[in-house]
Amino acid sequence: MLPARVFAVAPLALLILALSGCSSLGCTDTTAERGEAGARVRVVDTDGQPLGVTAAVVDWRLEAHPQVPSEGDRIHFHFRFDGADEYSDPAVDTCAVDKERVALGCQTVYSSQAFGPADDPLTGDDWLAVEHPEQVAEVLLIPNDQSYNGRTCDVDIKDGGGMHPPEPPSRGDQL
């Protein structure tokens, strides 16, 4: 039989472990589900809640990049972030897709890249290199905010874990 002091101290020890980040539940990582891609999307956090920011592809075209014209045509696209401010820097994945919405090439763009002309400072542009640019039918954005991806359990067992953005799309993904 255990002394009464052991039973009195046990809840205190459990509380200390829980407050220090060590718990019997352990560290768990979860990944958010990828949202529906579109030419205009409402940016959402890892819980799927809107951030009050809209991202849109303003236009796109095939053309040679002026710094490397010998590499052939690339996708030159303009994008716009409405609702972002200087304290937030939401980011979305941008993909050139074919007519079946299969990704041909993707990259992440941040609202801070929107540095357009003085009459439209919310608009920016970037380039996507794809293997077969003639197959591009659309440029789409994925609404999941990619700007913050907290520490994982593998990296930090004490403070890691929680919900993380979905994996970035890659060539061949169906959007």
Side-chain angles (χ1 to χ4, degrees):
M1 183 148 152
L2 295 171
R5 284 188 299 194
V6 171
F7 291 112
V9 174
L12 181 61
L14 290 174
L15 177 65
I16 291 170
L17 285 173
L19 291 176
S20 69
C22 302
S23 71
S24 61
L25 298 176
C27 185
T28 58
D29 288 314
T30 53
T31 303
E33 186 174 322
R34 186 180 293 161
E36 179 73 26
R40 182 177 177 84
V41 297
R42 289 183 349 171
V43 182
V44 297
D45 65 15
T46 54
D47 292 324
Q49 297 301 310
L51 295 177
V53 175
T54 302
V57 175
V58 176
D59 64 19
W60 66 273
R61 63 188 168 277
L62 290 176
E63 62 184 9
H65 192 289
Q67 293 176 338
V68 284
S70 62
E71 292 181 6
D73 283 343
R74 292 185 179 185
I75 311 307
H76 185 201
F77 66 98
H78 288 85
F79 57 90
R80 181 177 172 88
F81 280 87
D82 287 307
D85 59 34
E86 67 269 14
Y87 302 108
S88 66
D89 191 16
V92 293
D93 288 320
T94 306
C95 297
V97 299
D98 65 14
K99 61 184 178 181
E100 279 96 33
R101 294 175 62 116
V102 172
L104 302 173
C106 301
Q107 69 185 41
T108 303
V109 293
Y110 290 79
S111 65
S112 61
Q113 290 174 261
F115 53 85
D119 59 334
D120 193 2
L122 302 176
T123 302
D125 73 312
D126 211 338
W127 298 80
L128 275 166
V130 298
E131 193 171 328
H132 297 286
E134 70 282 357
Q135 293 178 354
V136 175
E138 282 185 277
V139 176
L140 301 177
L141 305 170
I142 299 173
N144 304 86
D145 181 21
Q146 294 286 338
S147 66
Y148 175 75
N149 195 358
R151 300 178 71 77
T152 64
C153 294
D154 288 343
V155 172
D156 188 345
I157 192 73
K158 181 178 172 251
D159 297 323
M163 186 68 79
H164 301 281
E167 289 295 317
S170 57
R171 190 175 1 175
D173 284 0
Q174 179 76 44
L175 303 180

